[in-house]
Amino acid sequence: MKQAITSQGASFKFLHTEEPFLKDLHLKVEKGECVLICGGSGSGKTSFSRLINGISPQYIEGELTGHLQTFHLNAETSDIEEYVPIVGSVFQNPKTQHFAVNTTSELAFPLENMGFDPDAIRKQIIHKTKTFEIEHLLDRNIFQLSGGEKQQIAFVTANMLEPAVLILDEVTSNLDQEAMARIRKMVQLLKARGVTIVILEHRLAWTKDLVDRYILFEQGTIKKQWAAADFIQLSNEELYQMGLRSLDLSSHREKIQDKKSASVPTNPGLLQTKSLTIGYGKKKVLEDLYLDFYPGQITGIMGANGRGKSTLANTLTGFQPSLAGKIYWAGKKMTAKQLLQKSYLVMQDMNYQLFSDSVEDEILLGAQMPEAAEEVMAALNLSSYKERHPMSLSEGQKQRVAVASALLSGKEIIIFDEPTSGLDYEHMERFGRLLQHLKETNAVILVITHDEELAAKWFDSIIELKLDTE
């Protein structure tokens, strides 16, 4: 058998829907090939991957017509358990696939689940951690790892059974350049060993010279395919017209450097920190921070994973106390309670802040400007989902719901933590335009991100957080 994945006229319809979501898909992926499936949010990329790894149509129920096969497994007849040793999957949010608190136990879990004896498990853990160069992550608390480290653990765990097919679904959406380079190196290693790799991704730049073929999904169909040599010749403008992200980030990185070095106002900021030390418990993350934030401008907070960006956001919004120093608003020292009353934080994992039974109710929950709800939903392409339960949405759609809630909150301090993770080019642009409107409210706006395209185009200034040793 030459093909690893064969789709012949496959269509998939979710339960309780009238029309198929995936329509008449014809695709063959050869053994050892690395393909990238791109396309806008909701185009069908993840739904197709769930047919490849056996999650659909049995676990996520629906009606499959046509034929889809992964090696010897048929999506319409094979049990989900049969896919476990054949297909490995790594998702956008590593938290959704962790089963243990300890990293070594996490790596052991798929082997234990398949009945491997303890000696074989120990040998495989030693072998895989050495192969993928993550020995330093053994016997660690997963909840104390950075986002990039969690994703590395998820990646290696998905490969413990040495699957023939690996699916990577937006695995770099929350990662910095260094962590992305590590993931890229891991993919290169597997590709060299003949593993078939299917990448679903909005951030295209890291895949250059790695992918053999690019496949564009649009409204549940395969719109177009390119050999890698042809795809990388496309300009950024041509990619934008198809709703895709940049392949070449060099111009964006130049703009980011300019914004990092741009002169800042000499007058005190409306929101200020003086000698601020942030961290957890007794563990200091960053010390002696003197920062000024001004209304009517968008300030980007950038820096590598684990440098304290989310910790700073939690401290500025009063969710966690500072370890030392002070925070001021209009020259007045603020307590954590006062900061909570003034602030709205869109968390990196938006699942923690979705409470209502419909998208519309969620957006109106606590809204100080309910009259603008329809306009905001339309701008974020949420109008057609307003009756849907928020937890039934994709990660990118949930992100947009949380952003909409922030825009209607009327708060004076609004902080977005990785607001464009998992968003395609169109929705990244929509979010940028909404930020421009938000500037008119004179709120203090901070955006934590690794998204270089967002930062280059839409931020007024950028603060890069670094450790003292950097």
Side-chain angles (χ1 to χ4, degrees):
M1 176 188 281
K2 192 177 181 181
Q3 271 76 42
I5 300 165
T6 303
S7 177
Q8 296 175 323
S11 297
F12 181 73
K13 182 172 76 71
F14 291 103
L15 287 182
H16 313 302
T17 59
E18 295 183 2
E19 296 295 326
F21 183 65
L22 298 175
K23 311 174 192 75
D24 196 28
L25 301 179
H26 291 270
L27 179 67
K28 292 182 179 180
V29 179
E30 295 185 3
K31 289 182 180 179
E33 190 177 10
C34 179
V35 301
L36 186 144
I37 299 177
C38 52
S41 299
S43 61
K45 303 184 300 295
T46 296
S47 294
F48 179 63
S49 75
R50 288 169 177 164
L51 293 174
I52 298 172
N53 64 15
I55 293 178
S56 296
Q58 294 184 45
Y59 183 73
I60 297 180
E61 296 182 23
E63 180 184 337
L64 175 65
T65 57
H67 177 73
L68 193 140
Q69 186 167 320
T70 305
F71 278 81
H72 60 281
L73 302 173
N74 295 315
E76 56 267 42
T77 58
S78 298
D79 292 331
I80 191 171
E81 293 85 0
E82 297 178 72
Y83 285 84
V84 173
I86 304 297
V87 186
S89 299
V90 187
F91 307 125
Q92 175 181 338
N93 184 353
K95 294 178 185 177
T96 62
Q97 61 188 111
H98 290 323
F99 292 92
V101 174
N102 180 274
T103 54
T104 304
S105 298
E106 181 70 19
L107 293 169
F109 180 79
L111 302 171
E112 292 172 339
N113 204 33
M114 294 297 289
F116 282 58
D117 66 67
D119 285 340
I121 292 174
R122 280 190 289 271
K123 288 177 181 177
Q124 185 73 328
I125 289 174
I126 292 170
H127 170 61
K128 290 298 182 184
T129 54
K130 183 177 181 180
T131 299
F132 290 107
E133 300 178 358
I134 64 161
E135 297 102 319
H136 62 291
L137 297 180
L138 283 172
D139 202 28
R140 298 269 299 275
N141 185 324
I142 284 181
F143 297 103
Q144 294 177 355
L145 301 182
S146 70
E149 290 169 337
K150 288 175 184 174
Q151 198 63 287
Q152 288 176 73
I153 290 293
F155 189 103
V156 178
T157 301
N159 284 282
M160 292 301 289
L161 294 172
E162 300 185 348
V165 178
L166 180 66
I167 298 172
L168 304 177
D169 191 352
E170 299 286 354
V171 296
T172 68
S173 60
N174 294 321
L175 302 188
D176 59 37
Q177 291 182 45
E178 182 181 339
M180 288 168 68
R182 291 197 191 100
I183 294 294
R184 177 186 167 89
K185 186 176 180 180
M186 289 176 169
V187 175
Q188 285 176 317
L189 181 62
L190 292 174
K191 184 181 177 183
R193 295 187 174 190
V195 176
T196 304
I197 302 167
V198 179
I199 302 173
L200 319 174
E201 186 64 87
H202 291 306
R203 298 173 78 177
L204 302 179
W206 74 275
T207 71
K208 197 173 181 179
D209 302 323
L210 181 65
V211 171
D212 299 311
R213 186 160 43 119
Y214 291 81
I215 302 162
L216 176 65
F217 268 52
E218 186 177 294
Q219 296 182 338
T221 65
I222 296 174
K223 180 76 171 179
K224 194 169 182 179
Q225 300 185 46
W226 298 263
D230 297 323
F231 190 83
I232 63 175
Q233 297 302 315
L234 298 174
S235 67
N236 283 346
E237 287 303 321
E238 289 174 303
L239 294 169
Y240 298 158
Q241 289 173 12
M242 292 184 286
L244 303 179
R245 296 289 199 112
S246 303
L247 262 175
D248 182 1
L249 294 174
S250 55
S251 63
H252 300 299
R253 288 169 178 166
E254 289 176 7
K255 291 178 183 178
I256 287 171
Q257 289 305 317
D258 290 341
K259 293 180 180 184
K260 286 179 182 178
S261 57
S263 59
V264 295
T266 55
N267 57 303
L270 184 58
L271 177 66
Q272 280 185 300
T273 73
K274 293 184 179 180
S275 195
L276 184 69
T277 297
I278 61 174
Y280 294 89
K282 295 182 180 180
K283 182 182 178 182
K284 298 178 181 178
V285 178
L286 288 170
E287 299 182 68
D288 206 29
L289 295 174
Y290 285 83
L291 302 172
D292 289 270
F293 303 103
Y294 302 88
Q297 67 171 247
I298 302 165
T299 303
I301 307 292
M302 302 187 76
N305 290 112
R307 295 304 185 267
K309 301 183 297 299
S310 295
T311 306
L312 177 62
N314 290 336
T315 306
L316 291 176
T317 52
F319 278 105
Q320 69 183 73
S322 61
L323 302 186
K326 298 177 176 63
I327 300 173
Y328 295 87
W329 178 263
K332 180 183 176 183
K333 181 183 173 185
M334 302 296 287
T335 64
K337 183 177 181 181
Q338 289 171 322
L339 288 169
L340 275 170
Q341 293 171 339
K342 283 187 174 293
S343 305
Y344 195 102
L345 172 64
V346 177
M347 298 178 183
Q348 186 170 332
D349 186 349
M350 78 297 300
N351 293 296
Y352 289 128
Q353 55 189 134
L354 298 175
F355 304 104
S356 300
D357 292 331
S358 74
V359 167
E360 185 173 32
D361 288 346
E362 185 66 42
I363 290 171
L364 291 173
L365 185 66
Q368 297 301 305
M369 298 178 286
E371 67 281 359
E374 291 293 338
E375 180 184 354
V376 169
M377 280 193 288
L380 285 168
N381 201 19
L382 290 170
S383 300
S384 60
Y385 303 107
K386 65 180 184 179
E387 300 300 327
R388 286 267 299 271
H389 195 290
M391 297 306 291
S392 73
L393 302 177
S394 71
E395 293 300 303
Q397 290 163 342
K398 289 177 187 176
Q399 194 82 13
R400 279 144 49 198
V401 171
V403 167
S405 298
L407 294 170
L408 296 174
S409 69
K411 298 290 187 177
E412 295 175 282
I413 303 169
I414 301 181
I415 302 180
F416 300 93
D417 193 352
E418 297 288 0
T420 58
S421 65
L423 294 191
D424 58 23
Y425 177 78
E426 178 190 350
H427 290 104
M428 183 271 290
E429 285 285 282
R430 287 184 182 221
F431 174 68
R433 289 192 291 270
L434 284 169
L435 282 179
Q436 296 302 307
H437 290 305
L438 193 57
K439 285 169 63 172
E440 299 171 7
T441 68
N442 280 323
V444 170
I445 309 161
L446 280 64
V447 184
I448 296 168
T449 193
H450 295 300
D451 191 334
E452 294 167 293
E453 293 174 86
L454 176 76
K457 184 167 184 179
W458 297 106
F459 293 178
D460 297 308
S461 62
I462 295 172
I463 296 170
E464 183 173 17
L465 298 185
K466 295 183 178 180
L467 301 179
D468 293 336
T469 54
E470 293 180 297

